[in-house]
Amino acid sequence: MKRFTVVMVAALLLAGTVYAKDYEVTKKAGDLTVEVKIDRNPPATGTNNMDIAIKDASSKAITDATVAVEYGMPAMPGMPAMNYKADAELKGNTYKAVMNLSMGGSWYINVKVTRADKTQTMKFTVDVK
Ligand SMILES: [Cu+2]
């Protein structure tokens, strides 16, 4: 009985941890690695806060870039395409941006990193609940 309780508590704690975890995507943008975390998992309609870490080939944090997030939805039957842009702000070693996702469905997200007049883009899509 005691062992069963311990296992159950461990399982609940683990489930809680998984539930609270950020939505994470890591991908390359040219020679940079871009790690995106979204505080809603899965991303949901409304406000979604993004934390963007950018690293060079030697895993050093990049903090001298201009970062913008372009996001939206292609045209759907009865609905024109939606395209939005959010500028990301450096706070500490990572960049913060806020997306407002107006409806559920598949959204594209492009993280544009500009350094020394060169822009590199990391792209992914999310299924918004
Ligand atoms: Cu739509």
Side-chain angles (χ1 to χ4, degrees):
M1 185 61 196
K2 201 170 184 184
R3 178 171 295 171
F4 178 75
T5 306
V6 170
V7 170
M8 281 304 292
V9 168
L12 284 172
L13 285 174
L14 200 62
T17 308
V18 170
Y19 181 75
K21 210 171 185 302
D22 289 340
Y23 183 91
E24 293 185 18
V25 186
T26 300
K27 272 189 167 183
K28 290 269 181 192
D31 55 357
L32 303 173
T33 300
V34 179
E35 296 173 14
V36 172
K37 289 182 187 167
I38 299 174
D39 70 343
R40 313 272 304 262
N41 189 6
T45 52
T47 301
N48 292 254
N49 296 295
M50 287 175 92
D51 180 275
I52 304 162
I54 303 165
K55 289 171 184 168
D56 67 11
S58 59
S59 292
K60 188 178 161 288
I62 299 294
T63 54
D64 61 352
T66 301
V67 180
V69 178
E70 292 176 357
Y71 62 101
M73 253 187 169
M76 310 189 328
M79 216 178 115
M82 300 187 293
N83 299 292
Y84 305 98
K85 189 183 171 200
D87 291 321
E89 245 181 78
L90 183 68
K91 281 191 184 136
N93 270 341
T94 62
Y95 294 82
K96 311 278 185 190
V98 179
M99 287 187 299
N100 192 6
L101 306 174
S102 53
M103 62 183 288
S106 181
W107 288 71
Y108 74 82
I109 299 175
N110 297 337
V111 180
K112 302 190 94 102
V113 182
T114 304
R115 285 177 86 210
D117 292 332
K118 185 180 169 193
T119 300
Q120 295 176 302
T121 305
M122 180 271 217
K123 301 181 176 190
F124 63 103
T125 58
V126 291
D127 193 19
V128 174
K129 300 297 174 197

